Amino acid sequence: MTTRWIRGAAVATALAGGAAACSAPGGGEGGGGPADSVVIGVASEPDTLSPLLGYGKDGNSKIFDGLLTRDAGLRLRPALAKALPEVGDGGLTYTYTLREGVEFSDGEPLTSADVVFTYRTILDTKTNNTSRSELDAIKEVRADGDDKVVFTLKYPYAPFAGRTVLPIVPEHIAGKQDPNTGAFNTKPIGTGPYVLADWRKGEKLTFKANPTYWGGAPKVKTVTMAIVEDDDVRATRLRSGDLDGAILPPNLAATFDDDENKKTYEAKSYDLRTVTLPTAGKVTGDRAIRRALDAAVDREAMVDKILDGAGRPAYGPLPVDDPWFAKGIERGQDLAKAKRILDEGGWKPGADGIRAKGGQKAAFTLLYPSGDKVRQDHALAYASDAKKAGIDVKVESATWEVIEPRMKNTAVLAAGGSIGDPDFGLYTMLHSSLAGNGFNNMGHYDNPAVDHALDTGRRGQDEATRETAYRALQRELVKDPGYTFLTHIDHVYVLADRWQGLTTQLEPHEHGFASGPWWNLEDWQPKK
Amino acid sequence: MARLAGRRTLFAAPVLLVVTFGVFAIAAASPFDPVKAYAGTAALGADQETLDRLRANLGADQPFAERWWRWLTSALTGDLGQSSVMRQPVAQVIAERLAWSALLCAVAFAVAVLAGTLLGVLAARRPGSWLDRTVTSLAYALEAAPVFWIALLAIWLFALQLDVLPAGGLTDTASEQVSTGQVASHIVLPACVLAVSQLPWFTLYVRQGVGDALAEDPVRGARARGLDERTVLLGHALRSGLLPVLTLIGSRVPELITGALLVESVFSWPGIAAATVQAATAVDFPLLAALTTLATAAVLAGNLLADLLYGLFDPRVKLSEM
């Protein structure tokens, strides 16, 4: 906390005094570095580089590969596996055949034993993997010869293949250590396109191209990920030529618009900002209030004003351009409708303009984590929209330690979003069986129709059944909104223009280290 | 002298015990949750079973006194335990970072003592001169300036405005090796900022000490015998005038350590500071306890050193009586 504040102050001071000096055209340095090395500024560093503890679980690890990987359109592609898995037994078994001739960067060959070791270690309750529940469906994983791996599931889990992008570690190294604290956490060995050369914690990570990579040696030979927490410092170091690229908030990225040597990339994302409306709250649990809020909120204005246009209105948990999005649920701000719903629900306007029903005022508190500017702006805009409909929302900031015990009864400005399959993000957010379970289903949402759709979507074996279920779910959420969905935020990156054909993927809530234009760094081609 | 050192070492043991116990007690009473800190952003998607399992695996469900005892007994056998937040053995965390912190502190301290002595002597030679007035008022102003503020100012001036020194890090971001030249240029700003924050104390003490000594009979006598100014100043006044500075060296160590934490944060210096902050907010007992022990030991050693130096340089002090 202190560090962040101090760095923030550093830049405030620096910018106040140094604006004149910085405005000199400084593009020359930025475009001059060699195209086979790149220095990227990111906001946070991983706690560990061991997949056994969760590193790279969604794919895109530079040091490791999973059985499968995702392409620019997030479609699953074979990686360490030769082909997509054979699904058998009504969706209960998944069989993968390994690619031949793959070696770890220490020269040892990859075998099915390494795959089995990786999954078994993560599933071991002694391993401190925070995402273990994502592999809940696995009953057993076993090797079938040196090149085949068979997963047996407890129940048919349609999106299971999407979980097997998880990186594979070498048993002959990681197997000899304590997965929680062993040296593998900081000195990883994998099959991936890059090899970790150096990690100075808190400062930077340096990667070298793996010359024997099974997918061909990458053209970009050296990659440095510099850890720069503060947004303004990252922008300053990018401008000075110290960094080649960085993730930036939209307003800072806009300052590079005139720089010919830099290109801006806006990645669409599942990164959602939403308000939880706890079922247990006297006001937030009332369906008329929930529907009125949903109608009163001006999503377009939030995208324009708060996000500088770098985002999209969220009409439900899935972003509007997702293939699973239910077309037709888009809706604008409609204050007349909001007032009508409240009138019908028995909430009558009081003398001060705030509505009330049976002595209960239409008022509640909305918490947001302190220090998060984007969430604060969303919360304030939300409160001002609600006021127009006669609902009094009191915005309060607090730390997660304070928010957590109050989540059951108090509204929270929450964020989240997982890529890959609607099941990954929606089940934990909406299923009634997970109400109040850790940070899952924070608002204790409970709707049998939604539960049914989630179960169908999870177990359904054909695409059409799943699609119908998820569309029904999104429409049900409009009728009974336990959350007010506000925006999906774009992630903005600025990068020196020395490579060609760069793309971005749809990104999850977490970003910067694995996603960004560098998601497929190993395929970059230098311009010259 | 050996007796003094021995007695102080014996005295250090209970102090360290109390300090580490206090650290465990305070950390346990803090609102921070070690499980949340361990899981980081992943905690937001984790179910209760995962969080409970982590709590049990990390031992966060045990009473702090028990954890302290277990840490202490294994630390005495040389095993400092495992840092949960760094996913590394504590000894490794410290080994990777301590050298850089020690280098920063040592350079800063040497600069502060040398520059402080020089400025103090210059000011003391002509009390009331413009040089004396400038040095003294600057020293008073710096005494009041927080170290991180000086650091920000230095970055603004030397890194951003003049562009003569790097603003942070141990080496240039793109550079792959830690070369002496790189480190030498990168240490200038942080070390000087840290030195400047310590400078006023040394300057003011030396000025006072040397000023008083110059007014004493032996010095006046030396002058009267026609010895040249150099000999008077260095041979007579400085020796007795420096005595108070020796005690100061010991007592400045704690502030040097806290100052270093702030300076490291501002300059992205890969020392022990970031680990200390993380260990505290993540309630990482083993790491926190080890770092506290180190800091306490540094303070105790600083005091011992000051006393020993005092005994060596001042014939009036008998170490056996301390």
Side-chain angles (χ1 to χ4, degrees):
Chain A
M1 240 21 101
T2 326
T3 319
R4 170 162 300 189
W5 174 73
I6 289 170
R7 289 193 183 152
V11 170
T13 320
L15 290 185
C22 289
S23 65
E29 282 176 79
D36 68 349
S37 79
V38 58
V39 184
I40 294 162
V42 292
S44 60
E45 77 184 320
D47 298 315
T48 166
L49 291 176
S50 169
L52 300 174
L53 295 184
Y55 169 69
K57 71 184 180 69
D58 297 319
N60 280 353
S61 150
K62 296 287 163 256
I63 315 166
F64 297 95
D65 296 299
L67 289 170
L68 303 181
T69 186
R70 290 180 189 283
D71 64 11
L74 293 186
R75 282 174 299 267
L76 289 170
R77 293 277 179 255
L80 292 182
K82 214 184 254 181
L84 295 180
E86 291 165 38
V87 186
D89 206 3
L92 281 178
T93 62
Y94 280 69
T95 308
Y96 292 81
T97 308
L98 295 185
R99 190 181 290 276
E100 284 146 28
V102 175
E103 286 179 354
F104 288 102
S105 57
D106 65 348
E108 291 288 318
L110 167 91
T111 69
S112 51
D114 295 309
V115 181
V116 172
F117 165 77
T118 303
Y119 281 88
R120 284 198 183 148
T121 310
I122 292 176
L123 287 168
D124 185 347
T125 50
K126 294 243 172 13
T127 306
N128 294 337
N129 186 307
T130 46
S131 313
R132 176 176 172 267
S133 57
E134 293 183 353
L135 300 177
D136 251 357
I138 299 179
K139 187 166 133 203
E140 198 208 359
V141 49
R142 63 184 173 85
D144 180 5
D146 260 1
D147 67 338
K148 269 204 175 110
V149 180
V150 183
F151 293 87
T152 314
L153 304 188
K154 293 176 194 155
Y155 48 87
Y157 183 47
F160 178 71
R163 290 296 190 209
T164 57
V165 298
L166 184 93
I168 302 302
V169 305
E171 183 180 20
H172 67 273
I173 296 171
K176 294 186 185 129
Q177 307 176 357
D178 177 351
N180 295 329
T181 49
F184 196 73
N185 280 304
T186 46
K187 293 190 173 58
I189 302 275
T191 56
Y194 287 91
V195 178
L196 180 74
D198 186 30
W199 184 7
R200 283 215 297 272
K201 288 221 174 174
E203 195 193 348
K204 64 180 184 176
L205 297 96
T206 312
F207 302 93
K208 290 275 178 201
N210 175 1
T212 60
Y213 183 52
W214 57 269
K219 293 278 189 298
V220 177
K221 298 295 178 207
T222 310
V223 181
T224 308
M225 297 291 226
I227 318 301
V228 188
E229 251 184 82
D230 191 275
D231 294 337
D232 297 283
V233 175
R234 233 176 299 127
T236 308
R237 286 175 64 174
L238 180 60
R239 195 167 282 119
S240 76
D242 184 30
L243 302 176
D244 293 316
I247 172 155
L248 291 174
N251 57 343
L252 279 173
T255 60
F256 289 91
D257 281 349
D258 297 333
D259 190 334
E260 281 175 14
N261 296 312
K262 301 262 192 312
K263 263 177 107 159
T264 301
Y265 299 85
E266 286 182 11
K268 301 243 188 301
S269 83
Y270 277 68
D271 197 355
L272 175 71
R273 295 293 177 273
T274 182
V275 175
T276 67
L277 298 171
T279 310
K282 279 204 182 78
V283 177
T284 52
D286 187 291
R287 191 187 280 215
I289 295 281
R290 295 172 175 213
R291 291 184 56 214
L293 285 167
D294 191 78
V297 66
D298 191 349
R299 299 176 171 90
E300 304 275 353
M302 290 184 186
V303 171
D304 290 344
K305 304 260 165 58
I306 300 172
L307 303 178
D308 275 322
R312 284 144 313 143
Y315 302 108
L318 298 177
V320 285
D321 42 14
D322 186 63
W324 299 86
F325 178 74
K327 293 217 164 44
I329 62 166
E330 298 92 338
R331 53 206 182 272
Q333 185 189 32
D334 189 347
L335 281 174
K337 185 179 168 197
K339 286 176 185 156
R340 201 170 63 239
I341 295 170
L342 288 170
D343 285 336
E344 284 164 9
W347 294 92
K348 298 285 180 258
D352 54 356
I354 303 305
R355 288 170 183 258
K357 175 170 147 182
Q360 173 69 51
K361 273 196 140 193
F364 63 91
T365 305
L366 170 60
L367 296 171
Y368 71 89
S370 39
D372 188 329
K373 178 81 168 38
V374 174
R375 291 202 215 196
Q376 179 186 0
D377 291 347
H378 275 86
L380 292 171
Y382 185 73
S384 126
D385 287 345
K387 191 110 191 189
K388 290 175 194 154
I391 301 170
D392 183 26
V393 178
K394 196 164 140 274
V395 175
E396 229 178 78
S397 79
T399 60
W400 279 113
E401 281 78 18
V402 174
I403 296 176
E404 202 203 335
R406 294 175 66 185
M407 285 187 320
K408 188 176 189 290
N409 302 306
T410 315
V412 178
L413 211 129
S418 310
I419 51 155
D421 195 277
D423 176 77
F424 296 169
L426 300 195
Y427 196 89
T428 50
M429 181 191 205
L430 296 167
H431 204 283
S432 63
S433 67
L434 293 177
N437 181 324
F439 283 88
N440 293 330
N441 195 350
M442 281 163 66
H444 293 241
Y445 188 68
D446 185 356
N447 180 326
V450 169
D451 282 355
H452 179 72
L454 287 169
D455 290 329
T456 314
R458 171 162 275 203
R459 289 160 193 243
Q461 284 305 299
D462 72 295
E463 194 86 340
T465 319
R466 302 193 70 209
E467 214 172 288
T468 318
Y470 285 120
R471 294 205 200 290
L473 176 146
Q474 293 174 68
R475 280 191 290 271
E476 185 60 32
L477 278 174
V478 179
K479 284 188 228 155
D480 180 16
Y483 294 78
T484 313
F485 299 102
L486 303 176
T487 57
H488 281 102
I489 293 177
D490 288 351
H491 298 154
V492 185
Y493 307 88
V494 177
L495 199 61
D497 190 18
R498 299 205 303 267
W499 304 274
Q500 51 195 9
L502 304 198
T503 53
T504 55
Q505 286 178 316
L506 255 172
E507 298 185 355
H509 171 50
E510 290 91 17
H511 57 282
F513 205 81
S515 10
W518 39 89
W519 73 273
N520 64 343
L521 200 64
E522 59 274 20
D523 299 333
W524 285 14
Q525 299 295 329
K527 269 192 165 167
K528 277 164 257 171
Chain B
M1 193 162 159
R3 264 189 64 202
L4 177 71
R7 222 173 38 218
R8 287 294 184 82
T9 316
L10 279 182
F11 168 72
V15 170
L16 287 172
L17 272 186
V18 172
V19 167
T20 55
F21 186 80
V23 167
F24 273 64
I26 291 168
S30 80
F32 297 116
D33 181 354
V35 178
K36 292 279 154 43
Y38 180 87
T41 46
L44 299 178
D47 57 359
Q48 199 56 49
E49 192 218 321
T50 304
L51 296 178
D52 291 345
R53 193 170 43 84
L54 279 178
R55 192 170 300 278
N57 286 358
L58 296 175
D61 46 358
Q62 296 157 353
F64 78 87
E66 197 186 316
R67 308 191 63 190
W68 172 72
W69 183 248
R70 187 138 21 89
W71 173 81
L72 187 73
T73 45
S74 70
L76 288 177
T77 66
D79 175 14
L80 291 176
Q82 308 284 342
S83 159
S84 64
V85 70
M86 300 291 169
R87 274 81 157 164
Q88 275 178 310
V90 168
Q92 196 187 340
V93 175
I94 293 175
E96 276 174 10
R97 298 162 184 255
L98 191 63
W100 299 124
S101 287
L103 177 69
L104 177 65
C105 285
V107 172
F109 208 56
V111 172
V113 172
L114 290 178
T117 309
L118 186 70
L119 284 174
V121 170
L122 286 178
R125 274 179 68 193
R126 311 237 183 290
S129 69
W130 66 267
L131 184 73
D132 178 36
R133 285 202 308 273
T134 317
V135 168
T136 316
S137 40
L138 255 180
Y140 279 120
L142 279 177
E143 220 175 43
V147 59
F148 73 84
W149 181 81
I150 304 174
L152 302 182
L153 206 66
I155 291 186
W156 171 73
L157 184 64
F158 295 103
L160 292 174
Q161 290 285 18
L162 305 176
D163 197 20
V164 286
L165 287 165
L170 187 63
T171 58
D172 289 342
T173 316
S175 125
E176 285 161 31
Q177 256 78 45
V178 182
S179 65
T180 318
Q182 282 274 329
V183 175
S185 69
H186 280 71
I187 203 174
V188 173
L189 268 190
C192 284
V193 166
L194 194 54
V196 162
S197 76
Q198 298 296 318
L199 195 59
W201 310 93
F202 292 110
T203 309
L204 293 174
Y205 265 70
V206 171
R207 179 190 166 271
Q208 193 63 45
V210 174
D212 287 351
L214 283 174
E216 275 171 18
D217 289 341
V219 174
R220 294 225 306 271
R223 275 211 177 110
R225 289 198 303 276
L227 292 178
D228 69 73
E229 189 66 21
R230 233 175 99 95
T231 321
V232 171
L233 199 64
L234 298 179
H236 294 79
L238 195 57
R239 183 155 176 202
S240 63
L242 275 187
L243 284 175
V245 177
L246 296 178
T247 14
L248 195 63
I249 288 180
S251 64
R252 295 318 297 171
V253 170
E255 194 158 315
L256 188 72
I257 292 173
T258 51
L261 294 189
L262 290 167
V263 167
E264 283 184 14
S265 295
V266 176
F267 288 97
S268 315
W269 190 255
I272 211 87
T276 309
V277 174
Q278 261 182 294
T281 55
V283 204
D284 186 345
F285 287 107
L287 182 56
L288 195 55
L291 292 176
T292 319
T293 309
L294 264 179
T296 314
V299 171
L300 293 176
N303 282 330
L304 176 62
L305 182 73
D307 288 345
L308 290 178
L309 288 174
Y310 213 83
L312 282 178
F313 283 92
D314 191 341
R316 290 169 297 183
V317 175
K318 287 203 181 63
L319 283 174
S320 54
E321 284 167 11
M322 286 177 85

